[in-house]
Amino acid sequence: MPELPEVEVTRRSFSDAIAGAAVQGAVLGKPLRWPLGCTPGQLAGRRVLGVRRRGKYLLLDLDEGLLLLHLGMSGSLRFARGLPPPGPHDHFDLLTDRGVLRLHDPRRFGAVVWAPHEQDERARKLLSGLGVEPLDEAAFGFDAFLAGLRASRTPIKQLLLGGRLVVGVGNIYASEVLHLAGIHPATPAQRIGPIRARRLHAAIRQVLARAVERGGSTLRDFSNAEGAAGHFQLEASVYGREGQPCHGCGTPIRLLRQGQRSSYFCPRCQRA
Ligand SMILES: [Zn+2]
């Protein structure tokens, strides 16, 4: 599943190229998670101003309105000239004078939604529940983070996955972050004191920033978001490494099921 770093790398892969492009229309495939909310004809004549990211949504700003794009479970975006006609899993093409922006999404949990502006209910419904951006230094302050931990009895892994405290710490990254911070995934959030919270706060930034960097370094060969996720998994410290030795202490990594998600951790380096 594309997580925040893959979405950010996707954004960087086409944001410069598409900024300023004139939209000529759109081609819709099978229905996605939510309806587009306008006709392809209504997009024709618009100009693309740029691409922002909020959580795992990409916001394609137009001179009138915006498109909110989500990659769902299996989606990937490509922006290129001379793409072949849409295949059976290509469900949205935005046609512009600089090329086609194509959403390829075999499982169709992804979405493209048009809204007249960001404060419109259609946009707010998708964006309003999101926590702060971990890579935005000003937004992701330590005091608010600590207060958020203090206010919750939820196991820390699940609190991070929920995305209301901070966005972007998906399942793979949550295991990696907690290992780096030395915190057991089942630890109730409010039991994490200021010193460990400081380590956790730093680990979130470090793991996500490194993943974006790594994805960014392969940007030239970047063809889809799943490729980037696979690349990250190869270098994971704990994720997917059950039974293999911890890089820190050699103890076999364990697997724990939490709310039907897999958590990988080192029983020696990570304390409750
Ligand atoms: Zn260890």
Side-chain angles (χ1 to χ4, degrees):
M1 186 195 302
E3 298 205 40
L4 184 146
E6 290 80 43
V7 177
E8 175 62 17
V9 169
T10 298
R11 187 189 72 79
R12 293 182 187 183
S13 74
F14 75 96
S15 64
D16 287 349
I18 204 170
V23 178
Q24 296 161 330
V27 179
L28 308 185
K30 294 195 192 81
L32 291 162
R33 185 162 179 186
W34 300 298
L36 176 60
C38 73
T39 65
Q42 282 174 283
L43 295 172
R46 300 278 58 83
R47 194 163 284 280
V48 179
L49 302 180
V51 191
R52 290 177 291 144
R53 182 187 54 74
R54 183 72 182 94
K56 296 205 291 184
Y57 286 94
L58 289 177
L59 281 58
L60 194 76
D61 288 307
L62 306 174
D63 58 352
E64 280 175 35
L66 72 159
L67 288 170
L68 296 106
L69 298 100
H70 197 285
L71 301 178
M73 305 284 286
S74 58
S76 58
L77 278 172
R78 252 185 103 180
F79 181 62
R81 281 185 197 277
L83 288 180
H89 300 303
D90 298 326
H91 303 301
F92 181 80
D93 273 6
L94 186 71
L95 314 174
T96 81
D97 62 344
R98 297 210 191 146
V100 174
L101 180 66
R102 171 169 293 174
L103 176 66
H104 176 84
D105 187 0
R107 295 181 65 183
R108 291 196 282 130
F109 284 103
V112 183
V113 174
W114 181 82
H117 53 83
E118 214 174 320
Q119 300 313 316
D120 181 81
E121 203 185 323
R122 275 168 278 192
R124 286 174 47 133
K125 204 176 72 188
L126 304 180
L127 303 176
S128 64
L130 299 178
V132 297
E133 286 291 333
L135 301 177
D136 180 339
E137 225 161 300
F140 188 37
F142 176 71
D143 292 345
F145 179 70
L146 180 62
L149 294 178
R150 284 274 157 91
S152 175
R153 290 195 189 91
T154 306
I156 184 59
K157 165 84 183 309
Q158 272 139 306
L159 183 66
L160 292 174
L161 280 189
R164 297 191 81 89
L165 185 57
V166 55
V167 295
V169 189
N171 200 45
I172 297 171
Y173 297 109
S175 282
E176 294 299 305
V177 159
L178 290 169
H179 182 253
L180 185 60
I183 298 171
H184 191 288
T187 310
Q190 63 181 195
R191 281 201 22 207
I192 299 170
I195 294 171
R196 294 206 299 169
R198 194 61 87 173
R199 283 211 301 268
L200 180 58
H201 184 258
I204 290 169
R205 300 185 57 101
Q206 193 179 324
V207 167
L208 293 178
R210 207 188 281 160
V212 170
E213 234 169 74
R214 212 173 284 152
S217 67
T218 59
L219 201 57
R220 233 159 24 126
D221 309 318
F222 189 80
S223 58
N224 65 65
E226 285 160 285
H231 184 70
F232 177 80
Q233 282 178 36
L234 279 179
E235 297 178 42
S237 302
V238 287
Y239 190 85
R241 296 192 62 243
E242 187 190 8
Q244 295 175 47
C246 167
H247 296 318
C249 73
T251 304
I253 299 299
R254 284 197 198 156
L255 171 63
L256 173 74
R257 296 271 169 202
Q258 287 183 288
Q260 302 181 344
R261 307 301 296 275
S262 306
S263 297
Y264 295 88
F265 70 102
C266 170
R268 190 162 169 204
C269 295
Q270 295 176 248
R271 300 294 169 88

